[in-house]
Amino acid sequence: MKSFAIKKIDRELELDEPLCAIKGFKYVPKIKNKLEVSEMTIVNPEIINTLVAFSFNKKYKKILELYLLTLQNDDDTTTEGALMQALDEIARLRAIMIRKYEKVLSKKATEKFLKKLKILENEIRAKIVDFKLMQEIEAEEIQEKGKSR
C-alpha cells in the first residue's frame, strides 16, 4: 500500500484549471489538522478505491456486528426487528454505493462491494425465514398442548 506525505510549501501555486473543473472524488477529512483542509479532490484511482473500501468496510462491519449480536441474542421479540434493521442498513449502503461511489470506482470494485452486500442480505433473509418458521412451529405446539388438555 502506498503512503503519501503532505508538506507545507511557503509559496503560492496556481492551478491551470478551476477547482470545479477537476474531475475526481471529493473527500472531506474528518480530522482537523494544521493545514486546515476543508475538502480534497482526489484523482488517483488507487487512492479513491482505498478510501471507498475503508469507508465501505467500516459500515459493513457495523452491519455484520448487528447481525452476529442478533444471532447470539435469545430474546425472540427483538430478533426479527434487529434483522429487519440490518436489512435496512444493507439497502441504505447499497444505495450509497450505487449513487455516490459508482461514478468514481472501477466497475470491478463496485461489483465486489455489491456482491458482499448481496451475500449478507441473502444470509439475513434466510435467518428471518428460519425465525418465522420456528415461531409458527412453537405456536402450533402450544395449540396442540391446549387441545390435548
Side-chain angles (χ1 to χ4, degrees), residues 8-56:
K8 188 171 183 178
I9 302 173
D10 291 334
R11 58 191 165 113
E12 289 187 26
L13 301 173
E14 293 183 17
L15 295 173
D16 293 337
E17 300 178 43
L19 284 175
C20 58
I22 296 175
K23 302 267 188 202
F25 178 66
K26 302 231 184 282
Y27 178 72
V28 179
K30 302 236 188 275
I31 300 172
K32 298 294 179 190
N33 53 24
K34 293 179 183 178
L35 296 176
E36 297 179 12
V37 175
S38 60
E39 183 179 277
M40 293 185 281
T41 302
I42 301 170
V43 293
N44 187 335
E46 286 182 29
I47 298 173
I48 293 172
N49 284 341
T50 303
L51 284 172
V52 172
F54 178 76
S55 175
F56 173 83

Side-chain angles (χ1 to χ4, degrees), residues 57-73 82-83 85-86 89-90 120 124:
N57 287 333
K58 194 165 70 169
K59 293 173 185 175
Y60 184 79
K61 283 181 184 178
K62 284 183 181 179
I63 296 170
L64 198 56
E65 286 173 4
L66 177 65
Y67 171 63
L68 293 175
L69 284 173
T70 304
L71 292 180
Q72 293 174 354
N73 191 5
L83 290 174
Q85 182 184 4
E89 289 296 316
I90 288 173
L120 183 59
I124 292 174

